[in-house]
Amino acid sequence: PALGTDISTANVEVATRAALFSAYKMTNLVLRGLRFEQGNDCRDHDTVTFNGGSNILIESYGFNWNNARGFAMNAVTSFTVRSSVARHNGERGFKSYHSKNGVWNALEADYNAWRGAQGGIYGWSEGGFYFYAQHDNTVANLKMFYNMTHGLHWDTDQQNVWSKSIIGAYNLHYGLVVEKSEGPVNISN
């Protein structure tokens, strides 16, 4: 609480719901203009998750102030995530795991991984953006500032990834990391 707050008389709001949205093997799904905030998900869990499925469009979203992770695409094919922000999440903003034929465009991830930093965890699977085993993905117009770890981490098994116009600044660790990938991973502008 703020300095001077008498906790014995203050109203305290406590998050009770972990996952705020989960989709399993959905096809032809569009979500626009929503905000997902203050989910009480535990470490290694995402507040908004897509598991499997195809032909998904996510647009004009906010994934903010969630206890651990903001947003994840897991084993999804043919998707677009654009015009969205992920800020102040405890572990990370955006994630992709074993997803193919995706487009990530006009996204911003700032001030993430603060909860990990409280426990001295500054690297593994955290940050603004975390992409693992992406194949045939396009990444464009990303911004990542003041994350308590990497801005963007392309972890193992990146294949046919094309990226342009990425800005990463004031992150605690590297702005961009590419790890153990067969490629090609093309980074420009």
Side-chain angles (χ1 to χ4, degrees):
L3 290 175
T5 301
D6 181 356
I7 197 70
S8 66
T9 61
N11 288 329
V12 177
E13 182 177 336
V14 177
T16 58
R17 203 176 281 279
L20 300 180
F21 183 89
S22 297
Y24 296 92
K25 298 183 181 179
M26 298 295 294
T27 301
N28 301 324
L29 179 64
V30 176
L31 297 177
R32 281 195 179 101
L34 299 172
R35 288 186 347 200
F36 295 94
E37 297 183 347
Q38 301 177 354
N40 194 27
D41 46 299
C42 293
R43 178 158 167 55
D44 294 334
H45 291 86
D46 302 288
T47 297
V48 174
T49 308
F50 290 82
N51 293 303
S54 64
N55 198 24
I56 296 171
L57 171 63
I58 309 301
E59 184 175 48
S60 299
Y61 270 80
F63 308 95
N64 306 311
W65 288 108
N66 295 295
N67 193 41
R69 300 172 177 176
F71 174 83
M73 285 282 191
N74 300 314
V76 175
T77 317
S78 300
F79 64 91
T80 299
V81 181
R82 66 179 176 218
S83 302
S84 302
V85 298
R87 293 188 177 119
H88 300 285
N89 295 291
E91 193 173 340
R92 70 171 164 238
F94 295 98
K95 170 195 157 203
S96 175
Y97 179 76
H98 283 280
S99 294
K100 297 180 180 181
N101 303 317
V103 174
W104 300 84
N105 188 23
L107 304 171
E108 188 163 344
D110 309 322
Y111 304 99
N112 295 294
W114 57 266
R115 186 166 299 286
Q118 288 177 338
I121 301 169
Y122 298 104
W124 182 79
S125 185
E126 294 191 344
F129 296 88
Y130 177 78
F131 298 142
Y132 186 97
Q134 281 199 133
H135 291 195
D136 305 309
N137 276 242
T138 301
V139 176
N141 305 306
L142 301 189
K143 296 178 184 176
M144 61 230 61
F145 303 111
Y146 300 102
N147 294 290
M148 296 300 293
T149 183
H150 309 298
L152 190 157
H153 184 180
W154 277 297
D155 204 335
T156 308
D157 188 24
Q158 305 299 313
Q159 185 177 29
N160 297 322
V161 175
W162 303 96
S163 64
K164 65 180 180 179
S165 300
I166 297 174
I167 300 172
Y170 310 108
N171 298 291
L172 185 63
H173 286 304
Y174 302 109
L176 302 173
V177 175
V178 179
E179 183 179 352
K180 298 180 188 174
S181 293
E182 65 272 26
V185 175
N186 183 318
I187 303 169
S188 63
N189 298 329

